[in-house]
Amino acid sequence: MLAFFFPEQTLKISWIGAVFINLLKLIVLPLVFCALVSAIASMQSMKQLGAVGVYTLIYVLCSLSIAVTIGLVLLNVFKPGVGLPPGLIMANAIPAEVKTMQFSSYLMTVFPPNIVAAAAKYEIMPIVFFSIVFALACLSSGETAKPVIDFFVGMRNVLVKMIMWLMVLTPIGLFSLLGSAVAEAYLQNRLWQSIQGMLLFIVIFLFGLICQFFWQLAVLKFLLGRNPRRFISSASNALITAFATSSSIATMPVTLVVAKKEEVSDHVARFVLPFATAINMAGTAMYEAVCALFFCQILGFHLSIFAQIGVFITAILAGMGAAGIPEGGLVTMVMVLRAVAVPTAAIALLLPFDRILDRFRTMTNVWGDLVCAATVDHFTKKR
């Protein structure tokens, strides 16, 4: 309402939102590094990269890839961001952030000669690549690397706590960021058009989550030979808990009970569910990919097939590095936006809807974890 009646005054407090975005970006690099290292190191040894580990990784990568593909296809078909005023994003953007990104230059940033210099420039993809290699090296080093792994697990927990503190400031940051965007749209007489575009985007995203749910349901029925109704009934408590808490980590005790009820082997459930909870964020990966493409459509950026492949890869890695806590995906979304040179202030458009969308993303993530455990159990028993 303030942006509607006093648009010029509202634009003067946009600096508050800029501070909030900077605090969000401040946590991204260490969180992504610690989250990926701790997730991969949870295997405890390279020996666990046997049948169970390989099947789990294959399923997770397939699930994330399909989720991101569904999202990108829907956005390319329906184009909800085309025609929306760029001022919705540019009202809070730093001009230097807006630039074009060629695939070759993007590829070069993944393999820089100096990892410290890359971090100083806020290039996240080299950090992701380095963290994966670092975690695998820790696993290969055996017991001598255990203190190092414990350190990064503790660091991840500390950073997750910092994120939860930062989320307390979300209403203040939302007021400034969204107010500036609404004021800009109102001054351009395109407010109603902007609202329609956002609603269309939300409907498309929810439809994408439904598609993700149904292909996994088909896996249960046709590949695993399970009764889908019984599995959904067993999983209902976990899905309700996921919706209520918006946290796949908080839901994990319930998912373990569901796995036992569905007769998933204990050793499979104990390994797969914690590991999948850490990296199998299919709903989050889809969300970050469609948001990046949606923002590019608003700004009028034409992404080539190679650029969209870059979004595809980055969204998968961001989904694997997202924290399983409420609105944890907002943090890793920064790396996806950076991959296509979209101002991080664009996140402001999502904040009013993110909490409810986060609940549906978490349900999708938890559902995928359960199907993953059932699939891995099926193939290990068959083997």
Side-chain angles (χ1 to χ4, degrees), residues 269-347:
R270 284 197 302 267
F271 171 77
V272 173
L273 288 176
F275 186 62
T277 297
I279 67 171
N280 186 29
M281 304 287 185
T284 303
M286 180 192 296
Y287 183 63
E288 296 180 347
V290 298
C291 287
L293 199 55
F294 178 59
F295 296 147
C296 286
Q297 290 173 357
I298 293 177
L299 294 171
F301 293 174
H302 174 69
L303 295 185
S304 65
I305 185 63
F306 294 109
Q308 293 199 35
I309 291 174
V311 173
F312 175 85
I313 297 173
T314 311
I316 290 175
L317 294 174
M320 295 176 70
I325 61 173
E327 298 181 289
L330 283 180
V331 179
T332 52
M333 186 182 294
V334 175
M335 64 186 288
V336 185
L337 298 185
R338 295 280 296 185
V340 287
V342 170
T344 51
I347 295 175

Side-chain angles (χ1 to χ4, degrees), residues 24-41 115 119 122-135 152-153 155-160 163 278-279 284 288 313-324 328-336 338:
L24 194 65
K25 292 165 64 178
L26 182 67
I27 305 175
V28 173
L29 287 179
L31 175 65
V32 169
F33 184 82
C34 294
L36 286 175
V37 170
S38 58
I40 296 173
I115 192 66
Y122 211 80
E123 295 173 352
I124 300 181
M125 284 307 300
I127 306 300
V128 172
F129 175 77
F130 181 78
S131 64
I132 294 173
V133 177
F134 183 86
F152 284 110
V153 171
M155 279 290 293
R156 179 201 61 187
N157 295 337
V158 170
L159 292 168
V160 166
I163 293 174
I279 67 171
T284 303
E288 296 180 347
I313 297 173
T314 311
I316 290 175
L317 294 174
M320 295 176 70
L330 283 180
V331 179
T332 52
M333 186 182 294
V334 175
M335 64 186 288
V336 185
R338 295 280 296 185

Side-chain angles (χ1 to χ4, degrees), residues 48 51-53 55-56 226 255-256 259-260 263-276 369-382:
Q48 285 196 350
V52 175
Y55 286 141
T56 303
R226 288 179 175 266
T255 60
L256 288 168
K260 184 175 182 180
E263 301 179 346
V264 175
S265 302
D266 286 341
H267 74 282
V268 172
R270 284 197 302 267
F271 171 77
V272 173
L273 288 176
F275 186 62
D369 295 342
L370 289 169
V371 177
C372 177
T375 304
V376 172
D377 184 58
H378 171 81
F379 281 103
T380 52
K381 287 179 178 177
K382 187 176 180 180

Side-chain angles (χ1 to χ4, degrees), residues 42-348:
S42 67
M43 293 182 182
Q44 298 179 358
S45 69
M46 291 295 285
K47 292 181 180 179
Q48 285 196 350
L49 285 174
V52 175
V54 170
Y55 286 141
T56 303
L57 286 173
I58 290 174
Y59 181 89
V60 168
L61 290 175
C62 289
S63 177
L64 291 169
S65 299
I66 293 173
V68 174
T69 301
I70 290 172
L72 292 178
V73 169
L74 290 175
L75 264 289
N76 277 288
V77 171
F78 294 101
K79 303 183 184 300
V82 174
L84 298 187
L88 287 174
I89 295 175
M90 299 308 299
N92 298 291
I94 301 173
E97 286 189 273
V98 182
K99 57 183 179 180
T100 58
M101 175 68 74
Q102 299 294 328
F103 179 73
S104 58
S105 61
Y106 167 74
L107 188 62
M108 289 300 295
T109 62
V110 180
F111 308 102
N114 190 324
I115 192 66
V116 177
K121 295 177 182 178
Y122 211 80
E123 295 173 352
I124 300 181
M125 284 307 300
I127 306 300
V128 172
F129 175 77
F130 181 78
S131 64
I132 294 173
V133 177
F134 183 86
L136 293 175
C138 287
L139 286 176
S140 300
S141 301
E143 287 296 320
T144 57
K146 190 175 186 302
V148 178
I149 296 172
D150 291 340
F151 171 78
F152 284 110
V153 171
M155 279 290 293
R156 179 201 61 187
N157 295 337
V158 170
L159 292 168
V160 166
K161 178 63 69 173
M162 291 176 64
I163 293 174
M164 297 180 73
W165 287 349
L166 180 59
M167 289 301 105
V168 176
L169 302 178
T170 298
I172 300 174
L174 171 62
F175 179 82
S176 172
L177 290 166
L178 185 61
S180 300
V182 172
E184 187 74 21
Y186 176 75
L187 291 174
Q188 295 180 4
N189 296 319
R190 303 184 72 175
L191 183 58
W192 175 241
Q193 181 184 5
S194 303
I195 294 174
Q196 287 179 313
M198 286 301 302
L199 292 177
L200 177 59
F201 167 76
I202 292 171
V203 170
I204 291 172
F205 171 66
L206 292 178
F207 178 71
L209 293 183
I210 292 173
C211 293
Q212 180 75 5
F213 175 87
F214 275 106
W215 80 255
Q216 291 174 323
L217 196 66
V219 168
L220 286 172
K221 180 176 177 60
F222 299 109
L223 186 61
L224 309 185
R226 288 179 175 266
N227 186 327
R229 291 186 179 181
R230 177 185 168 183
F231 198 91
I232 293 174
S233 177
S234 300
S236 59
N237 286 339
L239 297 179
I240 292 172
T241 304
F243 186 85
T245 62
S246 296
S247 171
S248 53
I249 291 178
T251 309
M252 191 168 63
V254 185
T255 60
L256 288 168
V257 173
V258 173
K260 184 175 182 180
K261 186 177 180 180
E262 283 297 311
E263 301 179 346
V264 175
S265 302
D266 286 341
H267 74 282
V268 172
R270 284 197 302 267
F271 171 77
V272 173
L273 288 176
F275 186 62
T277 297
I279 67 171
N280 186 29
M281 304 287 185
T284 303
M286 180 192 296
Y287 183 63
E288 296 180 347
V290 298
C291 287
L293 199 55
F294 178 59
F295 296 147
C296 286
Q297 290 173 357
I298 293 177
L299 294 171
F301 293 174
H302 174 69
L303 295 185
S304 65
I305 185 63
F306 294 109
Q308 293 199 35
I309 291 174
V311 173
F312 175 85
I313 297 173
T314 311
I316 290 175
L317 294 174
M320 295 176 70
I325 61 173
E327 298 181 289
L330 283 180
V331 179
T332 52
M333 186 182 294
V334 175
M335 64 186 288
V336 185
L337 298 185
R338 295 280 296 185
V340 287
V342 170
T344 51
I347 295 175

